Amino acid sequence: GLGLTHRKADNFGEWYSEVVVNAEMIEYYDISGCYILRPWSMAIWEIMQEFFDPEIKKMKIKNCYFPLFVSPGVLQKEKDHVEGFAPEVAWVTKSGESELEIPIAIRPTSETVMYPYYSKWIRGHRDLPLKLNQWCNVVRWEFSNPTPFIRSREFLWQEGHTAFATKEEADAEVLDILELYRRIYEEYLAVPVIKGKKSELEKFAGGLYTTSVEAFIPNTGRGIQGATSHCLGQNFAKMFEINFENDKGEKAMVWQNSWAYSTRTIGVMVMVHGDDKGLVLPPKVASVQVIVIPVPYKDANTQGIYDACSATVNALSEAGIRAESDFRDNYSPGWKYSHWEMKGVPLRIEIGPKDLANKQVRAVRRDNGAKIDIASADLAVEIQKLLDNIQQNLFDVAKQKRDECIQVIHTWDEFVQALNQRKMILAPWCDEEEVEADVKARTKGEMGASKTLCSPFDQPELPEGIKCFASGKPATKWTYWGRSY
Ligand SMILES: O=C1CCCN[C@@H]1CCCn1cnc2ccccc2c1=O
């Protein structure tokens, strides 16, 4: 039959895998950790891109494309951060029958691909700021449990790489990009996120500081990094000699940022909004926002019903609503209801003889199942209102559920208890790296250790004398902790 065999609350992992396949988003591939992105998910990626790309163009960031392949010399150049990642680097060692003289790496990220050329192109302050972005795939041969969209060996992303004359410009851009990532999650995917700064232990080791938008999956009680915007400082400028003659004629190193969001965004949306009928798409990212289904009854004016369906699709399309009809005569209306619910289409319109007679349609919401009769005369306006309401409702419900998972604690015992209750924990912390490492060690288990997710920019009041929950030392900031993906 059509339904799911696993319930979201009972077996989240199996439920998720089934939803992404039954909603025709993903097809599993014969290489582990690799997945086929079918049109139903590619359309979501494209809709987000249609928002983000014009936004970065407004910021005078230009798209480019660098090679997929990295020569070993430059990849190792960035030793301190690469060594941690080295096991994930995939290598080309042969072409046809013959071994390559020197193996070539496949990009896991493009700093080392791009920055030798930044060094060549940046000479004087007039060459700054240099702001490039690329939409591409990257490969990281990870071994921990692969999950469609969330953790795959190849994924699509955009990676921005910018260079400035001053730290102030870099700092400002880091936050401008982070706001775009918040908008992708909260305005398009209807997923609440928290903006904050990563700890020294969790940040990108090659950079100066890392900011991120953090999401949370209530069903697993795990945080997930939604997107990241790093200030690299002058670390890569030093390594790749990216200098310029500043307006005082002195030789100075550039200040750089790098930032990315990936197809992981789609997986987070599925996990947050999906239910036991399948995918639930926020209208803003739904390639089909309204599916119109004829409900003929015996010989009662069947042609009239089909004509009304076509007229409905046309009226909605003219109003800029993405509407389609399902006229397949080899499936029953009931089968179609389940099929399009599984695919997460936000609104279904049914047109039967009664609707025809009353010059109305019956709309059914995917988010809460409500049935609404709408006069055909007011169709486009009322349907758009419904879609806007669904978008807002999905966000509000997700935010309420996420907020219920947040637990403020002050002591170690409260921390452990909240962790076992699968909470997203807000705790006062002394901000000492070894204390974080110690918490990781003390919370190791088959569920994975707890780590910092981010220190929110929006800091609650920290009264004098509050102690760090883990070390007992004076706390200096509130930080979110939890298990994570
Ligand atoms: O996040 C971003 C945003 C986009 C540009 N890159 C930065 C940092 C990537 C960090 N990273 C992540 N996995 C890796 C895997 C293998 C080699 C190197 C790396 C690596 O540098």
Side-chain angles (χ1 to χ4, degrees), residues 81-82 85 88-89 108-109 111 140 157 159-161 204 228 230 258-260:
H81 97 274
V82 165
F85 294 116
E88 294 177 10
V89 178
T109 180
E111 281 80 0
R140 296 174 186 177
W157 71 351
E159 49 178 321
H161 295 269
F204 169 33
T228 153
H230 312 283
S258 73
W259 28 269

Side-chain angles (χ1 to χ4, degrees), residues 249-322:
E250 300 147 348
K251 194 167 154 186
M253 287 190 288
V254 300
W255 290 87
Q256 290 175 273
N257 295 336
S258 73
W259 28 269
Y261 79 95
S262 74
T263 37
R264 163 178 283 202
T265 49
I266 300 170
V268 174
M269 178 272 295
V270 173
M271 290 184 165
V272 167
H273 299 307
D275 64 16
D276 289 336
K277 288 181 174 175
L279 178 63
V280 178
L281 285 171
K284 281 264 189 77
V285 294
S287 56
V288 175
Q289 296 171 313
V290 184
I291 187 74
V292 180
I293 296 170
V295 190
Y297 181 72
K298 293 205 176 77
D299 57 355
N301 196 353
T302 305
Q303 191 51 48
I305 286 173
Y306 277 75
D307 294 347
C309 289
S310 301
T312 298
V313 170
N314 294 340
L316 294 175
S317 303
E318 270 161 30
I321 293 165
R322 298 187 285 271

